[in-house]
Amino acid sequence: MEIKVTLPHHSYLLQIQAGLLEQCGDWVKSLWAPQRIVIVTDENVQKLYGQKVLESVNAAGFEASLAVVPAGETSKNLAVAEELYEAFLTAGLTRSDGVIALGGGVIGDLAGFVASTYLRGLHFLQIPTTLLAQVDSSIGGKTAVNLKQGKNMVGTFSQPDGVLIDPLTLNTLEPRRVREGIAEIVKSAAIADLGLWNLLASFKDETELLEHAETVIAACCEVKRKVVEEDELDTGNRLKLNFGHTIGHGLEQVAGYGVCTHGEAVAIGMIQMNQVAEMKGLTAAGTTEKLKQMLQKFHLPIEWTPWEPEKLMAAMVHDKKASGDTVRIIQLKDIGEATIVKIPLSELGEYVNKV
């Protein structure tokens, strides 16, 4: 299955099919001329797929090497980015060479950021191996690293030359990582795709969802394609993808990166944001309960202990959706339809307090 992302200055294809990883060298050859390549991955993914991808890319006529970083959100920082710059130098990368991100969202964000800033930009490809990355972070060109003050505070917009999505990589994910991706799938359905929501509602659990992974992934990619094409630089409709993320990013930071995963934080953020909006009469009655039932069916959390409103607010004021004394939040009109609302920053506290 192919989905084309069409942008004014750069278009690319998402390839979605079981077994594609086995042919990744041919895929790279179809997109790039012979060149040096650094494949950025983490220690966990390297053990599973690193050598296979390296050999496939080299067999296709490239001069490729691996750069391996520790697994987890804590690697998404400027210190690890600097280590990758040095690895690129050691590999002799020039502006005509490329980088492949092989892994989850952390690797995609980190490798994309380093690729887009090293020598002012190298060629870049995404091979996402987690559900979260396949349905969300590998698409749309956002790259970033974290600062201690907040998530994704330093980054660029840099579109890849292509994205290869092989649902078979999901078979090696631990259940918590599968659920993390399901949170973003539920978000995509809630904001923009009632048909996807109804499909998710028909599944019994995570196992049944994975049996239909290709269909679900493609539906999420379509949601993201549409908003990215409308708003590449995240100033308008693309902000709808941030439903649950304003509180979610704050929770990730307060709890400690990796303690509460991104998907878990987004699930909790969606519930907290929506139940306050529903209490205010800004969201259709019953949407919070529908969200709760959907998330709990897939064994995702809907609350976090301890809940620390003051610390959350301190983290959230640095969020990229804030502008001056206002912040844009995402509210559901109903399941399948979202809207962007600008509120005073002082009012954000109402959405953090438990109701």
Side-chain angles (χ1 to χ4, degrees):
M1 185 180 300
E2 289 185 351
I3 294 175
K4 186 175 184 180
V5 180
T6 304
L7 299 169
H9 305 293
H10 185 78
S11 299
Y12 56 96
L13 289 176
L14 317 176
Q15 306 276 3
I16 309 168
Q17 186 180 321
L20 278 182
L21 195 66
E22 298 288 342
Q23 308 153 33
C24 63
D26 292 336
W27 171 70
V28 177
K29 190 175 181 178
S30 73
L31 296 169
W32 287 351
Q35 59 193 266
R36 291 189 183 93
I37 295 173
V38 172
I39 301 164
V40 179
T41 191
D42 68 36
E43 293 168 340
N44 293 339
V45 178
Q46 192 275 331
K47 295 172 186 174
L48 294 167
Y49 309 116
Q51 199 61 33
K52 176 190 295 186
V53 172
L54 179 66
E55 291 174 1
S56 181
V57 171
N58 279 329
F62 296 93
E63 186 181 335
S65 59
L66 287 171
V68 183
V69 304
E73 185 78 27
T74 52
S75 283
K76 212 172 97 174
N77 60 59
L78 289 168
V80 176
E82 185 173 3
E83 292 174 6
L84 286 177
Y85 291 133
E86 292 172 357
F88 291 4
L89 280 165
T90 300
L93 295 193
T94 69
R95 293 188 69 182
S96 60
D97 295 321
V99 174
I100 298 175
L102 174 66
V106 168
I107 290 298
D109 283 3
L110 173 65
F113 172 72
V114 177
S116 69
T117 51
Y118 178 82
L119 299 179
R120 299 191 178 91
L122 303 178
H123 306 144
F124 180 58
L125 293 171
Q126 288 265 22
I127 304 180
T129 60
T130 66
L131 187 56
L132 177 62
Q134 290 177 354
V135 300
D136 183 55
S137 61
S138 65
I139 308 146
K142 280 188 177 181
T143 80
V145 293
N146 304 331
L147 300 179
K148 63 181 180 181
Q149 292 89 346
K151 188 177 173 74
N152 298 333
M153 295 296 290
V154 180
T156 64
F157 286 95
S158 182
Q159 301 292 343
D161 291 334
V163 182
L164 184 151
I165 298 173
D166 184 347
L168 292 183
T169 62
L170 304 179
N171 295 335
T172 57
L173 289 183
E174 61 182 65
R176 191 182 185 194
R177 296 303 169 189
V178 172
R179 293 168 192 151
E180 181 176 22
I182 292 175
E184 289 285 357
I185 294 170
V186 172
K187 177 212 73 177
S188 293
I191 64 169
D193 192 336
L194 184 58
L196 176 58
W197 180 273
N198 291 334
L199 178 62
L200 296 176
S202 73
F203 297 149
K204 179 183 177 182
D205 53 22
E206 302 97 308
T207 301
E208 189 172 355
L209 185 151
L210 288 178
E211 290 171 358
H212 298 82
E214 200 167 311
T215 299
V216 172
I217 291 167
C220 291
C221 289
E222 275 291 340
V223 169
K224 189 147 192 184
R225 176 194 64 79
K226 290 175 184 176
V227 294
V228 168
E229 288 182 349
E230 291 172 6
D231 177 25
E232 181 180 359
L233 300 182
D234 205 15
T235 58
N237 261 354
R238 186 169 177 174
L239 288 168
K240 291 178 181 178
L241 296 170
N242 291 321
F243 178 50
H245 285 61
T246 302
I247 291 175
H249 283 173
L251 179 57
E252 279 186 85
Q253 182 188 339
V254 171
Y257 291 124
V259 176
C260 181
T261 71
H262 175 72
E264 291 166 349
V266 167
I268 295 162
M270 287 191 288
I271 295 299
Q272 176 65 23
M273 183 66 71
N274 205 77
Q275 64 188 2
V276 175
E278 188 172 336
M279 182 189 68
K280 289 171 170 278
L282 303 173
T283 295
T287 55
T288 304
E289 185 59 32
K290 290 176 184 176
L291 278 169
K292 284 181 178 179
Q293 290 177 7
M294 185 71 81
L295 292 167
Q296 288 179 313
K297 177 173 72 171
F298 295 116
H299 302 98
L300 280 157
I302 58 171
E303 58 185 1
W304 186 263
T305 303
W307 189 257
E308 302 172 286
E310 290 184 2
K311 290 184 179 179
L312 281 171
M313 273 298 297
M316 289 161 57
V317 295
H318 295 296
D319 194 88
K320 301 175 296 305
K321 292 167 280 298
S323 177
D325 295 328
T326 62
V327 62
R328 291 164 293 181
I329 62 172
I330 314 307
Q331 293 176 349
L332 296 184
K333 290 185 177 180
D334 206 338
I335 297 298
E337 185 180 3
T339 186
I340 303 167
V341 179
K342 183 182 286 188
I343 64 171
L345 199 57
S346 58
E347 193 177 312
L348 189 59
E350 296 178 22
Y351 286 87
V352 179
N353 291 325
K354 287 290 185 181
V355 295

